[in-house]
Amino acid sequence: MSALAAVKKGIEKLIDRYGRDIYYLRMSLTERCNLKCIYCRSESEYCKAKTELTADQYSTILNGLVSLGIRKVRVTGGEPLVRKDLERIISDIASHEEIREICMTTNGIGLSERLPELKQAGLQRLNISMDTLDPDLYRKMTRGGDLAAVLKGIEMAQSLEMPVKINAVVVRGKNDQEAERLISLAKESAIDIRFIELMPMGVLGEDKNARVRNEEILRRHPELRPLPPAYPSQPSMDYTADGFKGKVGFISPVSHKFCNVCNRVRLTSDGKLRMCLANNYETDLMPHLQSGEELLQVMQAAMFNKPECHTFEEAFHTSRTMNQIGG
Ligand code: SAM
């Protein structure tokens, strides 16, 4: 049966060949970023805006993906806030009543000014990357970022009652001492903090000594108690402690794989479907944008053939840096 026929018959889920229900799209809006985080890309690397999908092209692809079972969308990048048409893209996503959740991963620079409109357009949740609460260290780790601007964005999200998770990557010898302060943020406010283990991508990721395993942070915090997962495909292990208003989560893609429950597909800003962060298997959608049925077939085949597991622990060499895939 063709993909279109399957959709017409009301088959709304895409179950891949390993039995996973693929419903979560991570949609990268650009490779461009206003920061150069030390673990994401090199200082000299210039973010060339090669092909960058237009809002209409995202809309065409998303129409197809929704009919194939996508129910949750996260916009990411690069930095999604560098797109001037972000509000339009969010409202296009929100126009699909099938989509249950719309989130954004951002560095938060320039967020406060745009958040009221983004919320009105349909944005529901935020993940804000912030690896330290020390302004000088923040500037160093991001090669020039202004921590005050990020904090302003977080405050705005709180005033608009939009749920926020803080993403932090801990790098040995750089910000390992910051984990304590970030955890205390979850104690004092209803903000969840999630530690993401440094992945072997980018210049720093190749250096195994730079990775601080999440167990190390946990060992220093015996007060943290594990919580049951809120949903089966939850990538983080969440913890709480007495008196905490927020949760502390640990995402350990390298030391604790969650591939068996991975429900994600990634769309890069140059129009490729990438089925796994740590697998260079990609499908180019650009030649198929003009034909609805052909596009559906190509996307359905790519999703069905999602690789079983990532290959981080084998000598994985990414064809793209994190900002080029969409982290
Ligand atoms: N610009 C946005 C931001 O800063 O959140 C979205 C894109 S950024 C690539 C998405 C996430 O990827 C960030 O939370 C960042 O910390 C994470 N990231 C980038 N490189 C990483 C690496 N080598 N290992 C683990 N996480 C990484």
Side-chain angles (χ1 to χ4, degrees):
M1 191 189 314
S2 75
L4 201 61
V7 170
K8 281 182 184 152
K9 274 178 80 87
I11 299 170
E12 289 186 335
K13 274 188 179 199
L14 195 134
I15 308 292
D16 79 354
R17 63 196 161 134
Y18 298 105
R20 297 169 296 197
D21 177 5
I22 313 296
Y23 68 82
Y24 179 10
L25 172 68
R26 294 176 75 103
M27 191 161 118
S28 174
L29 301 188
T30 180
E31 294 181 11
R32 293 174 289 137
C33 189
N34 41 6
L35 299 180
K36 288 186 172 184
C37 296
I38 53 169
Y39 47 76
C40 189
R41 62 192 176 108
S42 68
E43 179 154 31
S44 57
E45 190 200 336
Y46 174 66
C47 280
K48 337 167 239 322
K50 314 178 267 188
T51 313
E52 199 167 89
L53 293 174
T54 62
D56 285 341
Q57 289 171 322
Y58 279 112
S59 184
T60 301
I61 295 170
L62 190 63
N63 286 343
L65 287 172
V66 169
S67 63
L68 289 172
I70 290 299
R71 297 292 177 265
K72 170 176 175 178
V73 179
R74 171 176 304 281
V75 292
T76 180
E79 175 47 52
L81 285 167
V82 305
R83 289 273 310 217
K84 293 197 171 65
D85 55 358
L86 177 60
E87 290 75 3
R88 144 98 202 266
I89 294 173
I90 297 284
S91 97
D92 282 352
I93 301 169
S95 69
H96 292 274
E97 60 184 27
E98 298 90 336
I99 294 188
R100 298 188 292 254
E101 209 178 323
I102 306 175
C103 336
M104 174 163 78
T105 299
T106 173
N107 60 35
I109 309 274
L111 177 66
S112 60
E113 294 83 354
R114 293 173 72 180
L115 197 52
E117 205 181 320
L118 287 167
K119 183 175 178 187
Q120 206 166 22
L123 184 66
Q124 295 165 327
R125 315 177 78 88
L126 283 166
N127 283 40
I128 300 180
S129 302
M130 186 174 71
D131 305 320
T132 170
L133 285 165
D134 174 333
D136 290 334
L137 185 56
Y138 184 82
R139 199 170 305 110
K140 278 189 197 131
M141 289 195 70
T142 57
R143 297 195 180 100
D146 175 15
L147 182 65
V150 184
L151 295 172
K152 211 167 143 196
I154 296 173
E155 271 168 31
M156 177 58 85
Q158 287 182 306
S159 73
L160 294 174
E161 295 180 358
M162 186 176 286
V164 176
K165 285 183 182 148
I166 303 294
N167 285 351
V169 177
V170 178
V171 182
R172 196 177 307 287
K174 304 281 184 204
N175 66 332
D176 22 7
Q177 74 287 2
E178 284 297 294
E180 289 23 69
R181 286 175 77 187
L182 290 165
I183 287 175
S184 62
L185 210 61
K187 181 172 185 178
E188 288 147 21
S189 47
I191 289 179
D192 294 345
I193 164 90
R194 304 210 303 182
F195 293 99
I196 306 175
E197 243 171 31
L198 180 67
M199 292 178 238
M201 304 179 75
V203 191
L204 217 55
E206 306 274 311
D207 176 4
K208 282 198 178 127
N209 296 323
R211 186 175 314 131
V212 176
R213 287 171 70 102
N214 278 332
E215 279 103 325
E216 274 187 53
I217 302 172
L218 260 172
R219 266 202 303 275
R220 296 203 295 267
H221 291 276
E223 76 278 16
L224 293 175
R225 295 189 313 270
L227 289 165
Y231 55 98
S233 56
Q234 182 177 297
S236 67
M237 297 277 288
D238 287 346
Y239 290 75
T240 189
D242 290 341
F244 272 50
K245 295 189 179 131
K247 287 185 274 195
V248 182
F250 294 89
I251 302 188
S252 319
V254 187
S255 61
H256 294 285
K257 295 182 171 197
F258 46 86
C259 304
N260 61 328
V261 289
C262 180
N263 53 15
R264 302 161 179 205
V265 50
R266 291 167 194 271
L267 174 61
T268 65
S269 58
D270 58 352
K272 314 273 194 300
L273 266 194
R274 184 167 172 126
M275 298 309 305
C276 174
L277 195 56
N279 188 307
N280 293 322
Y281 160 60
E282 288 179 352
T283 301
D284 190 2
L285 303 182
M286 299 307 275
H288 311 289
L289 292 188
Q290 303 309 320
S291 158
E293 172 136 22
E294 197 181 294
L295 181 64
L296 274 178
Q297 278 169 351
V298 167
M299 295 196 300
Q300 189 188 38
M303 288 160 75
F304 182 73
N305 289 312
K306 180 174 162 76
E308 185 176 16
C309 260
H310 73 60
T311 50
F312 272 140
E313 64 284 80
E314 296 144 37
F316 169 67
H317 287 290
T318 177
S319 54
R320 296 163 180 260
T321 50
M322 195 72 100
N323 67 297
Q324 292 169 330
I325 301 173

